[in-house]
Amino acid sequence: MADSDKNPRPSPEKRLQEYLDSKSLRKTPERFAILKKALELKAHFGSGDLVKAFDKGDYHISRATIFNTLEILCDSGILRRHHFESNQARYEVAGGNHLHLVCTECGKIKEVNDPEQTHNIMSMEFDRFTPSYFSATIYGTCDACARRKLRSRKTI
């Protein structure tokens, strides 16, 4: 039996509860609702996506509560914050190391898991620094945007 089987990682809900306890913060239903919604979104999302998701439902949560809870979820290691090409933060559920492919035309973000690159990067040694995870971003043009550009050139 592998060590990971013996000590499974606590659920995100349990991790949030433990984090709130450790910081003497209140365990409000809003914080847990935001966590649940963030986990449902799965892909990279912005705070505005959460605001819209709650505005569509029966449960209203203020923007300030959403922003503050996103900070808590990042600080607790449940989410990771990224700043891709825009200044707007994008969030994702914290997971393994991976590459982000970001289309500079449409903004689409694709994740790529490359075990060889992961090994190469994580085996690097840094002076007075111990990495815990990485996320690399590669900018370019997705196939759909490249085809669209090619079609628009042909019609000119």
Side-chain angles (χ1 to χ4, degrees):
M1 182 180 275
D3 285 342
S4 61
D5 295 334
K6 293 177 194 172
N7 297 320
R9 190 170 195 166
S11 70
E13 294 81 5
K14 179 76 172 159
R15 289 171 58 203
L16 177 57
Q17 185 172 355
E18 289 172 355
Y19 179 82
L20 295 172
D21 285 341
S22 74
K23 300 293 182 182
S24 298
L25 297 171
R26 293 182 310 136
K27 294 184 277 291
T28 65
E30 291 83 2
R31 287 178 172 157
F32 287 91
I34 292 166
L35 170 62
K36 182 180 178 192
K37 192 65 71 178
L39 295 173
E40 288 172 3
L41 291 176
K42 302 221 187 248
H44 298 89
F45 62 91
S47 57
D49 297 319
L50 277 176
V51 170
K52 287 178 192 171
F54 282 108
D55 284 348
K56 290 179 184 176
D58 313 352
Y59 198 42
H60 175 74
I61 299 178
S62 73
R63 287 178 181 268
T65 300
I66 290 172
F67 294 135
N68 292 334
T69 302
L70 284 171
E71 291 300 310
I72 289 170
L73 295 174
C74 288
D75 290 345
S76 67
I78 297 170
L79 296 182
R80 289 192 184 145
R81 178 187 313 99
H82 298 283
H83 293 276
F84 294 115
E85 195 162 58
S86 70
N87 287 333
Q88 181 188 13
R90 306 292 291 172
Y91 300 89
E92 69 177 339
V93 175
N97 299 311
H98 54 273
L99 305 172
H100 292 104
L101 305 180
V102 179
C103 180
T104 56
E105 300 291 322
C106 67
K108 181 179 176 183
I109 303 166
K110 180 179 178 182
E111 288 186 5
V112 176
N113 293 309
D114 185 330
E116 183 178 347
Q117 292 300 336
T118 298
H119 173 74
N120 290 340
I121 293 171
M122 290 307 289
S123 64
M124 294 173 70
E125 292 185 21
F126 301 94
D127 187 32
R128 297 189 319 241
F129 183 81
T130 304
S132 54
Y133 71 91
F134 79 88
S135 173
T137 305
I138 301 171
Y139 296 93
T141 307
C142 71
D143 283 345
C145 289
R147 285 192 304 272
R148 193 171 21 263
K149 276 180 146 178
L150 187 60
R151 280 193 305 270
S152 68
R153 285 189 202 139
K154 288 181 179 180
T155 59
I156 298 177

